[in-house]
Structure formats: structure tokens, C-alpha cells
Amino acid sequence: MRAAHRARLAANALNGSTLLGLALARAGGGRIEPGPDGLLLARGVRDGFPRAAAVTVGNVVLLRVEEPSPRLLRHEAVHATQWACCTLAFLPLYLGAVGWSYLRTGDHWSRNAFERGAGLADGGYTERPTRPLTRRGRRAVALRPGSRPRPPA
């Protein structure tokens, strides 16, 4: 294991995020096994959580897919590093990034800095275009040639 992976493993053990990931894996009925680069794979996690193919908490990758692709594991490994860098503040920071992305695009990943940093395509996501933030911007989009203006809200 490379020094960077050992450092990530130690950081996530010290900040408690891997312990949280193990608790979530156990609660979800996952079977823990070693994965690449110091990750722990929790296979067979019950439906409902995570809703995505995989969710990483600390160094634990909670999997709903039986055989994750190398690209998905690379994506989740970046999330493990993000946990190590942000400590437990990762969770509120990630939720804020989800809110921002939803506001800008209507989905939780397209403008989420953490998902973009991990590689949208590697995580199985497709990027959606941004939408205007202001009422004036939304109105301008509605006034494209051939469209009818919407009444003011």
C-alpha cells in the first residue's frame, strides 16, 4: 500500500469516519472485506441506503452493486481522501454541496464540488446544465423565440 493510502487510512481512523462507516455497514447488513488501496468494501448492504451504487464513509465503501467497476472504486477512493482531508466536517460540507447542486441543476451531483472532484463519469453520473438563479434569468430563458412568456409569480 502506498504511503498516501496509509495516511488516508490513519486519518480516517483518527477522525472517526471509518468507525461511522463500519457502524453504517453493520446496520445495513453489509459484509466487510478488504478492498484496494486500504478501502473496506461493505458488500450486500440492504436496499434503501445507500440509494446510489456506492457511498463512502471514511474508508468504508457501502456497496449496493455486487461487483463495482474499477472506475467506481477510483471515484469512491477520492471520497475516502475527501473524508480524510475534511474530517467529520465532510458530512455538512457535502450536504451543502448537494443543496448548491440541486439549486443550480436540479440534481445533487452536477455542481457538487465533491462529486466533480471525484469524477462525475467515474461515479456513474452525467452532468446536467445549470439553470438561472434569479427570476429574471428564468424569465429570459422562458422568452426564447417561439415561446410564450409566463405570468409573473
Side-chain angles (χ1 to χ4, degrees):
M1 186 183 329
R2 290 186 5 207
H5 299 144
R6 283 193 301 275
R8 178 181 67 200
L9 188 68
N12 283 333
L14 289 172
N15 70 29
S17 60
T18 294
L19 187 59
L20 176 61
L22 289 169
L24 290 171
R26 181 179 171 118
R31 301 176 317 280
I32 304 294
E33 62 184 58
D37 304 327
L39 295 176
L40 298 170
L41 305 181
R43 296 184 187 272
V45 177
R46 286 187 212 110
D47 285 344
F49 183 81
R51 294 189 69 192
V55 170
T56 298
V57 180
N59 270 38
V60 180
V61 182
L62 305 162
L63 293 166
R64 284 194 40 203
V65 294
E66 196 54 40
E67 283 304 319
S69 70
R71 288 179 69 185
L72 179 60
L73 288 178
R74 183 172 54 239
H75 176 90
E76 297 305 325
V78 173
H79 286 318
T81 301
Q82 292 168 344
W83 274 98
C85 293
C86 296
T87 69
L88 292 178
F90 177 81
L91 197 53
L93 291 170
Y94 185 87
L95 292 174
V98 164
W100 174 252
S101 182
Y102 192 80
L103 176 70
R104 295 296 297 147
T105 66
D107 68 41
H108 75 272
W109 57 83
S110 289
R111 288 290 174 241
N112 181 324
F114 294 101
E115 294 298 341
R116 293 176 72 79
L120 289 176
D122 287 346
Y125 302 120
T126 56
E127 186 170 356
R128 292 179 60 182
T130 57
R131 56 189 184 186
L133 284 175
T134 65
R135 184 177 293 174
R136 177 181 227 171
R138 287 189 298 270
R139 186 164 166 78
V141 169
L143 293 176
R144 290 186 189 138
S147 68
R148 294 180 18 177
R150 289 185 241 161

